């Protein structure tokens, strides 16, 4: 069993040590604690002691040379025969490096797992657990989207750029996936608008209107009430500070602008001349025979109210990249509730 | 099942272990007759004597150093640090000596020491007696950090800590000592590195430590009224951290908020958020949120101090913001 003697690090930043002198010769018997060599650093000269009993062998560093810290300078062997064996082995080692490497290679091979153990990535049904997740590499243009959406889109081979082109607001989230699918199937042309229609009974509304009108001196039309209700619903769902409603009504569908009609007493609602943005348009067909009208719609949110026998038909038509489906349906639901049970709303 | 207070659970854990192993001793200020100002150690000196329950002079680095040396030479000391804020006094003994001795001695020496201390503000104790410094010690390799969130955790984690041959720091919320929870009569241990899912959920993961677990649970209740299903997880030990449970949860919910009473900057929440970002990135639908104590010295004014710690309401509001895509 040969023990290595190395050039010790005698200081913190020391990289080499100068071997000043050997104090023992090759083949000498040494005992633990015997000084073996003198080493000089930039600070001092020190003796390095033997850590084991034995014989000094394989002295490989010369006096008055700088030896890198950690390098082996000699060996302490158990007996002199071992000393000569070490020398032979050292000689062989230099010549036969190849032979030494091969055993290592086979041992390394045993440690790596065979390829079959790793599950192959597959874009099966978009399930995140089963595949290696990567973002799409279709486009270099910077698109802000959540990692989750990127994974889902990549799984279905959809390109997020379609969302950007269609004007959806970044950052895109998982909730935008359905819009992305729609866009991709329509090849980039968004079906112009989505819509939903509800039917509500008129009866409570008519009672409400007659009560209000008997209590008030002014004539309060259904238009004012509709405008007020629509504004209130918008305020709840869209959470906007100022609500502008472009209200078209009558046979000629003349339009007026109402600003925040829900904030006023019904008898005090007046058309406004202010230059405010239009939050929603209303097409009130109740005075006509029409129940439906499309085209000539400019705003993101458009209501149509018409008479349908004993009911009001309320259609909400919206721009899908400006308001989510969830919010749009909440909006229609909220307005329908107000018209269906106006007295409850007062409470 | 019987219910006992957090303080009683800690007391039981220590007493039971001390009966089993004579090498366990307790050192600290006012630990003997006074049983600590929080009365958690009452009765121990009567049972185990002043040789094992030792009142020390007011010198935190002194008695911690004694404990480190005692641990290295065969005892199993529990050091009682009266306020977590005093960690700053013992950092060398704890972080340079206790934490590193096993490694630096090539495994020849061990430091089976438990440092029992507290955290938690709003007791109106001001800036130097209200800090939650778990991040400070979790940062140090060689230290384990446990944060019991109820009496059940307190007993189980304390026992595991005492039996561990490595230095363990346990942070107890000083406002929880009278809170009761179900604690079995039979012996049980809680392994380090195992998180607890208090309630399963599908919409968002709330990861909370110590008393913030209760805040998260309250938030989860109010969120359920709004049809939002929050999963609440208590990591129990910060180091080692049960990453697997946390990551699997976030992979399921795609949203996470981490809540801890330490300061938000450079704290526990930041570390856990970073690990989630590393290992569950592609599953996230929104950035991971952190809720920690405000980055100010803890105020003395009751009105102000109450504003600086995360509350169930803040958690609720943050969840809604995350899920509505406002973040």
């Amino acid at each position: 069993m040969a023990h290595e003697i190395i050039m010790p690090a005698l200081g913190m930043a020391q990289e080499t040590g100068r071997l000043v002198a050997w104090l023992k010769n090759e083949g000498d018997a040494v005992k633990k604690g015997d000084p073996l060599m003198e080493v000089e650093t930039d600070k001092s000269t020190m003796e390095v002691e033997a850590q084991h009993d034995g014989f000094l062998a394989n002295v490989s560093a010369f006096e008055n040379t700088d030896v890198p810290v950690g390098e082996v300078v000699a060996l302490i062997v158990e007996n002199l025969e071992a000393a000569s064996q070490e020398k032979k082995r050292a000689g062989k080692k230099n010549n036969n490096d190849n032979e030494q490497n091969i055993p290592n290679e086979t041992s390394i091979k045993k440690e790596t797992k065979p390829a079959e153990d790793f599950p192959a990535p597959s874009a099966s049904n978009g399930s995140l657990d089963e595949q290696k997740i990567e973002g799409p590499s279709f486009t270099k243009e910077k698109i802000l989207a959540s990692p989750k959406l990127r994974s889902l889109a990549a799984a279905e081979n959809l390109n997020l750029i379609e969302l950007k082109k269609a004007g959806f607001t970044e950052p895109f989230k998982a909730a935008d996936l359905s819009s992305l699918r729609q866009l991709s199937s329509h090849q980039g042309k968004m079906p112009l608008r989505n819509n939903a229609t509800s039917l509500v009974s008129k009866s409570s509304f008519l009672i409400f209107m007659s009560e209000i009108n008997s209590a008030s001196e002014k004539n309060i039309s259904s238009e004012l009430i509709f405008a007020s209700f629509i504004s209130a619903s918008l305020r709840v769902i869209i959470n906007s500070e100022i609500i502008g409603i472009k209200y078209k009504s009558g046979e000629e569908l003349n339009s007026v602008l109402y600003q925040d009609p829900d904030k006023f007493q019904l008898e005090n609602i007046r058309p406004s001349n202010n230059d405010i943005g239009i939050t929603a348009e209303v097409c009130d067909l109740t005075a006509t025979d029409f129940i439906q009208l499309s085209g000539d719609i400019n705003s993101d949110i458009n209501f149509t109210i018409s008479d349908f026998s004993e009911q009001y038909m309320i259609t909400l038509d919206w721009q899908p990249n400006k308001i989510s489906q969830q919010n749009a349906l909440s909006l229609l639901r909220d307005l329908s509730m107000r018209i269906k049970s106006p007295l409850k709303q007062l409470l | 099942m019987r219910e006992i207070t957090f303080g009683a659970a800690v007391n039981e854990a220590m007493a039971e272990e001390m009966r089993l192993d004579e090498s366990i001793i307790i050192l600290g200020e006012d630990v003997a007759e006074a049983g600590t100002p929080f009365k958690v150690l009452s009765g121990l000196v009567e049972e185990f004597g002043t040789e094992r329950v030792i009142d020390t002079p007011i010198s935190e680095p002194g008695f911690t150093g004694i404990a480190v040396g005692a641990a290295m030479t065969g005892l199993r000391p529990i050091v009682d640090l009266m306020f977590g804020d005093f960690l700053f006094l013992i950092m060398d003994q704890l972080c340079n000596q206790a934490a590193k001795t096993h490694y630096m001695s090539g495994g020849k020496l061990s430091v089976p020491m438990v440092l029992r201390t507290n955290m938690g503000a709003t007791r109106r104790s001001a800036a130097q007696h209200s800090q939650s410094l778990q991040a400070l010690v979790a940062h140090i390799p060689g230290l384990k950090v446990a944060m019991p969130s109820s009496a059940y955790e307190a007993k189980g984690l304390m026992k595991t800590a005492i039996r561990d041959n490595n230095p363990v720091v346990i942070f107890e919320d000083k406002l929880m000592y009278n809170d009761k929870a179900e604690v079995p009569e039979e012996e049980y241990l809680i392994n380090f590195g195992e998180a607890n899912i208090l309630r399963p959920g599908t919409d968002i993961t709330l990861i909370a430590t110590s008393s913030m677990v209760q805040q998260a649970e309250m938030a989860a209740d109010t969120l359920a009224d709004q049809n939002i299903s929050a999963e609440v997880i208590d990591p129990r030990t910060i180091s080692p951290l049960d990453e697997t449970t946390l990551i699997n949860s976030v992979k399921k919910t795609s949203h996470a908020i981490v809540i801890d009473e330490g300061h938000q900057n450079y704290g526990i929440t930041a570390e856990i958020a970073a690990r989630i970002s590393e290992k569950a990135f592609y599953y996230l639908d929104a950035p991971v949120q952190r809720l920690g104590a405000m980055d100010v010295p803890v105020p003395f004014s009751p009105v102000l101090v109450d504003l600086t710690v995360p509350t169930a309401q803040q958690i609720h509001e943050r969840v809604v913001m995350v899920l509505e895509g406002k973040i």
Side-chain angles (χ1 to χ4, degrees), chain B residues 106-143:
Chain B
K108 292 198 172 79
L109 295 170
S110 289
V111 183
M113 182 178 105
V114 174
L115 180 74
R116 196 192 138 245
T117 187
N118 52 46
M119 34 79 74
T122 76
R123 199 170 161 270
R124 287 86 172 93
S125 301
Q128 295 163 336
H129 292 78
S130 308
Q131 290 167 93
S132 301
L133 297 172
Q134 46 273 19
L136 213 61
V137 290
H139 184 62
I140 310 298
L143 294 178

Side-chain angles (χ1 to χ4, degrees), chain A residues 128-129 131 133-135 146-149 151 171-175 239, chain B residues 251-255 280-287 322 325-327:
Chain A
L128 291 168
D129 288 321
Q131 58 176 314
I133 307 300
E134 281 185 64
S146 81
K148 183 169 186 187
L149 177 64
S151 314
F172 308 134
K173 304 269 180 118
N239 206 12
Chain B
K251 283 185 177 177
K252 183 175 67 165
T253 64
S254 294
H255 306 89
F281 181 76
Y282 296 104
Y283 299 80
L284 288 172
D285 203 31
V322 170
K326 290 187 178 127
I327 292 180

Side-chain angles (χ1 to χ4, degrees), chain B residues 24-167:
Chain B
I24 301 174
I25 62 169
I26 304 175
L27 302 103
E29 293 160 11
D30 290 339
V31 296
E33 208 179 303
T36 79
F38 301 99
K39 301 297 172 208
V40 173
L41 302 187
S42 307
L44 292 183
V45 69
E46 285 81 0
E47 182 174 346
F48 300 103
T50 53
E51 296 266 293
R52 293 179 71 190
V53 184
I54 305 168
D55 270 342
T56 64
I58 305 176
S59 171
E60 281 76 9
F63 63 73
T64 308
I66 289 173
V68 175
M72 283 196 232
T73 51
L75 293 181
R76 302 184 78 88
I78 304 172
V79 177
D80 184 298
L81 195 65
M82 199 187 283
F83 284 91
D85 313 65
F86 302 161
L87 272 168
F88 295 117
L89 291 163
I90 64 166
M91 286 305 267
D92 183 83
Q93 294 299 339
L94 182 65
C95 303
N96 273 336
Q97 311 308 327
K100 298 176 170 63
T101 293
H102 187 67
Y103 179 79
M104 290 174 75
S105 68
K108 292 198 172 79
L109 295 170
S110 289
V111 183
M113 182 178 105
V114 174
L115 180 74
R116 196 192 138 245
T117 187
N118 52 46
M119 34 79 74
T122 76
R123 199 170 161 270
R124 287 86 172 93
S125 301
Q128 295 163 336
H129 292 78
S130 308
Q131 290 167 93
S132 301
L133 297 172
Q134 46 273 19
L136 213 61
V137 290
H139 184 62
I140 310 298
L143 294 178
K144 297 189 183 178
V145 180
M147 296 184 67
S149 58
S150 78
Y152 177 82
E153 268 78 20
K155 186 170 180 189
L157 290 171
M158 174 61 79
K159 282 189 162 235
T160 305
I162 292 173
R163 295 185 192 193
D164 198 316
N165 289 329
N166 300 291

